[in-house]
Amino acid sequence: MSATARKTAPLPDDIRARKGGTPIVSLTAYTTPMAELMDAHCDFVLVGDSVGMVLHGLPSTIGVTMEMMILHGQAVKRGLRQAMMVVDMPFGSYEESPQQAFRNAARIMSETGAGAVKLEGGQGMAETIAFLVARGIPVMAHIGLTPQSINTLGGYKVQGRGAAGTQLMADAQAVAEAGAFAVVLEKVPQTLADRITADVPIPTIGIGASAGCDGQVLVVDDMLGLFTKFKPKFVKRYANLGEQAEAAVAAYAEEVRTRAFPAVDHVFADAVPEAKS
Ligand code: KIV
């Protein structure tokens, strides 16, 4: 079903059932107004930990906290009627043990109203994913470039080239077997993304992967041209709102300095004008 024809948010199982079907549409959101804009168009909205870089000016996602994810999750939820919300588990909130992951995932679910959480990692996180799913927490996995691990991955490099592709395939199989309802594939070669999509039974959500994935996700500020500090190759800009916003601010500043703003339309008379009969 298309997102526009839907009346209620899909469940993780509905997303799982879209394997091999009409591509699943997703964007990140961090605020209520942005969530409202995309609600009718997206199957799920991701409150990504990219919020740290995009809205808070952090150098990476590593400094993102549970409090930030919960606050932005609550804001996004207020803007959604039809799309499911997935909230990222931040760095340090789930890696220690399945029990730690459960405590924090349960907090995210209960305090934000999320339909699912997302966490980064493949085989190494399979036990944790199974632990969460068995306790009622739907999990979206995230493999390939996992930005919370840039310090061990050596930066924002393409993952899975050559022999490393075997490990990535094993990661995808492991998260699917553990019970993840979908898996994000970030920055992996197109042919590998296509092979993983063909071989794993759950939907693959590509970002810098392949049009053959079962769905796509982008960071909304990237695709709107609002976040322009850098532009990964996989980002397509559908608008240049950053440039437009700066031009609008410059025009406002000029009009304030020349007293062209406020004009007569923006100020109030002493007396209320009489109503025309
Ligand atoms: O944090 C994020 O925005 C993500 C991406 C997959 C878009 O995890």
Side-chain angles (χ1 to χ4, degrees):
M1 185 187 285
S2 81
T4 37
R6 208 180 44 232
K7 292 274 179 294
T8 54
L11 298 169
D13 276 351
D14 300 323
I15 299 288
R16 187 200 301 268
R18 298 269 298 273
K19 176 77 192 170
T22 313
I24 298 158
V25 180
S26 176
L27 285 170
T28 66
Y30 318 110
T31 63
T32 308
M34 203 58 100
E36 282 169 347
L37 281 180
M38 62 181 70
D39 185 38
H41 305 284
C42 289
D43 296 297
F44 74 88
V45 169
L46 173 67
V47 186
D49 61 351
S50 48
V51 67
M53 298 172 77
V54 172
L55 289 197
H56 293 269
L58 293 175
S60 75
T61 57
I62 289 167
V64 174
T65 62
M66 281 287 291
E67 283 63 37
M68 287 161 81
M69 295 313 300
I70 287 171
L71 197 68
H72 288 284
Q74 289 168 339
V76 168
K77 185 66 182 170
R78 283 180 213 118
L80 298 181
R81 299 285 172 273
Q82 306 178 36
M84 181 175 79
M85 181 173 82
V86 179
V87 177
D88 260 346
M89 298 199 69
F91 179 64
S93 72
Y94 60 94
E95 300 90 333
E96 198 177 313
S97 65
Q99 289 77 5
Q100 180 215 23
F102 179 78
R103 253 193 324 278
N104 286 316
R107 205 179 142 207
I108 289 173
M109 299 285 288
S110 65
E111 293 185 30
T112 68
V117 296
K118 176 166 81 57
L119 57 81
E120 297 183 4
Q123 270 182 330
M125 278 297 140
E127 185 193 345
T128 295
I129 293 171
F131 192 87
L132 296 184
V133 173
R135 286 159 182 77
I137 300 189
V139 178
M140 177 175 287
H142 181 159
I143 62 170
L145 174 63
T146 45
Q148 294 173 8
S149 303
I150 43 157
N151 291 319
T152 48
L153 294 177
Y156 296 93
K157 296 178 185 156
V158 174
Q159 300 294 310
R161 281 196 169 127
T166 310
Q167 179 58 50
L168 215 52
M169 177 62 85
D171 285 334
Q173 299 284 10
V175 298
E177 275 162 31
F181 70 92
V183 57
V184 170
L185 303 182
E186 180 164 353
K187 218 168 174 181
V188 304
Q190 186 181 9
T191 50
L192 177 63
D194 288 343
R195 273 197 288 125
I196 293 175
T197 301
D199 287 7
V200 299
I202 56 173
T204 56
I205 310 295
I207 174 163
S210 167
C213 287
D214 297 297
Q216 303 293 328
V217 63
L218 279 178
V219 169
V220 71
D221 292 60
D222 284 342
M223 59 85 79
L224 292 179
L226 277 168
F227 182 78
T228 53
K229 267 192 199 144
F230 46 84
K231 182 188 161 308
K233 175 182 160 76
F234 59 75
V235 170
K236 176 172 175 183
R237 283 210 183 126
Y238 286 82
N240 279 308
L241 297 193
E243 273 175 25
Q244 281 181 255
E246 194 181 346
V249 170
Y252 165 76
E254 172 65 13
E255 290 195 0
V256 169
R257 290 193 180 106
T258 58
R259 300 192 192 282
F261 176 84
V264 68
D265 285 352
H266 312 116
V267 294
F268 301 94
D270 280 341
V272 180
E274 272 177 37
K276 285 187 191 141
S277 55

